[in-house]
Amino acid sequence: MRGRPRPRSVVPVALVAAALAAAAAAANETANPLLGQPEAIAAGKAIYRGRCVLCHGSAGARGPNLFASKISDERFLETVINGRKGTLMPAFGTRMSPDDVWMVHAFVKSTDRY
């Protein structure tokens, strides 16, 4: 059928830009390279037992329940290394290597409780 051209859908440029920015941020986010590795999970459980269980226990204790947390891998690493101002969460950056933190994270993500 000829005649009037069909109208085209117009997507606001701001929506496209926001979607591209979100995709770029997600692509640049640091991911835990040790997730799902049995040796890392076992080591992470041992580290958790020695450094984290006192406050976090199996379901939060004095701190948030890490096993139910939805924070990103990168945020987990950042929080453990730098601590959280205004809370009881200390900075472990001088006591744990990034690999140690990733192992704890691998353990936490492997189960729903301690």
Side-chain angles (χ1 to χ4, degrees):
M1 178 175 198
R2 293 197 173 201
R4 260 192 287 168
R6 295 203 276 173
R8 293 185 182 204
S9 297
V10 178
V11 177
V13 173
L15 287 177
V16 173
L20 290 173
N28 289 332
E29 189 152 311
T30 303
N32 183 346
L34 302 178
L35 286 178
Q37 295 183 14
E39 301 82 20
I41 293 167
K45 183 175 184 177
I47 296 167
Y48 184 91
R49 183 181 303 127
R51 298 207 179 257
C52 312
V53 76
L54 180 65
C55 292
H56 292 283
S58 61
R62 291 186 291 159
N65 182 351
L66 299 180
F67 300 95
S69 176
K70 302 289 185 210
I71 65 172
S72 69
D73 296 5
E74 184 172 23
R75 178 70 180 192
F76 187 95
L77 177 70
E78 178 184 298
T79 300
V80 175
I81 297 279
N82 299 320
R84 289 194 64 197
K85 290 183 181 182
T87 72
L88 295 175
M89 178 66 192
F92 281 93
T94 59
R95 296 177 270 174
M96 292 175 70
S97 71
D99 283 344
D100 290 340
V101 177
W102 283 141
M103 287 185 269
V104 170
H105 185 250
F107 164 63
V108 166
K109 296 301 265 185
S110 74
T111 184
D112 61 353
R113 66 187 165 287
Y114 174 68

